[in-house]
Amino acid sequence: VMVTAADSKGKDNIITVAWAGTVCTNPPMVSISVRPERFSYKMIKETGEFVINLTTEKLAFATDYCGVKSGRDVDKFEKMHLTRQKAKFVKVPLIAESPVCIECKVLKVEKLGSHHLFLAEVLAVHAEERYMDKNGKFQLSKANPLVYSHGEYYSLGKKLGKFGYSVQKKVKNQRR
């Protein structure tokens, strides 16, 4: 994911984070793990806010760039031609090109070793309408999400099943 952060003066940055995820449904909570020496780490610690911006195949180059270039040296929004979008609850910008942006407020920081885990409450979720079905469900596959594993980027493949499919009763074919 690309995480946006800003300091108390409004200077913002984008950091690519490999370790991010949902940790609780009710209340909705997420976590990200960031090395303390990263430029955005101070921003998140100072303001207690960040936005998780999901990445896509179209954002692959920007995702990689934002992970290897420091915000100390370059404005990543400008360099990658990304659009800052105003958030509803936090002072951190969303990335308009991201299909899903999750506004977060830090609840706790756990010092784990090389990385510190930011445990955060989800304040708002913004999803592009074009990826929503008629029932309000986000259609992840249509967004062409990007996945990172062991230094390599991948696009997601086909749907393999749904929750509980391994124990679902099989429907017998009925003949007329």
Side-chain angles (χ1 to χ4, degrees):
V1 298
M2 289 191 287
V3 172
T4 46
D7 64 20
S8 60
K9 295 175 185 169
K11 175 159 175 57
D12 58 35
N13 191 41
I14 305 169
I15 182 176
T16 300
V17 173
W19 296 315
T22 303
V23 295
C24 189
T25 302
N26 190 16
M29 294 170 57
V30 295
S31 70
I32 61 170
S33 292
V34 181
R35 289 191 322 254
E37 52 275 2
R38 295 295 297 259
F39 183 61
S40 291
Y41 178 89
K42 291 188 303 190
M43 295 175 168
I44 298 169
K45 279 281 283 184
E46 179 184 340
T47 64
E49 298 178 344
F50 62 89
V51 175
I52 294 174
N53 304 274
L54 296 189
T55 57
T56 64
E57 287 179 23
K58 287 183 180 179
L59 292 170
F61 187 85
T63 301
D64 185 66
Y65 184 90
C66 292
V68 296
K69 288 292 189 176
S70 175
R72 290 178 187 94
D73 307 321
V74 65
D75 180 335
K76 297 176 194 178
F77 276 100
E78 184 179 307
K79 187 73 174 174
M80 290 293 100
H81 307 289
L82 298 172
T83 309
R84 290 172 175 89
Q85 186 174 327
K86 187 171 175 34
K88 186 174 182 180
F89 296 106
V90 298
K91 293 178 181 163
V92 176
L94 314 175
I95 298 174
E97 292 78 7
S98 176
V100 176
C101 303
I102 306 167
E103 295 184 49
C104 304
K105 182 75 175 167
V106 175
L107 298 174
K108 185 178 183 181
V109 181
E110 285 289 328
K111 296 178 180 180
L112 302 174
S114 65
H115 289 67
H116 293 182
L117 181 133
F118 290 95
L119 181 64
E121 176 184 13
V122 172
L123 302 178
V125 177
H126 308 271
E128 281 189 43
E129 282 297 319
R130 66 182 166 146
Y131 299 120
M132 305 303 287
D133 71 10
K134 63 183 178 188
N135 299 317
K137 180 181 175 187
F138 182 74
Q139 298 176 313
L140 181 68
S141 62
K142 288 190 175 182
N144 296 318
L146 185 68
V147 178
Y148 177 83
S149 178
H150 300 286
E152 299 176 323
Y153 300 97
Y154 297 91
S155 58
L156 285 181
K158 65 182 178 180
K159 176 181 169 183
L160 301 176
K162 63 179 186 174
F163 180 77
Y165 85 99
S166 64
V167 296
Q168 190 173 7
K169 291 183 181 180
K170 295 190 182 349
V171 178
K172 294 181 183 178
N173 289 338
Q174 294 181 354
R175 296 184 184 227
R176 293 185 188 232

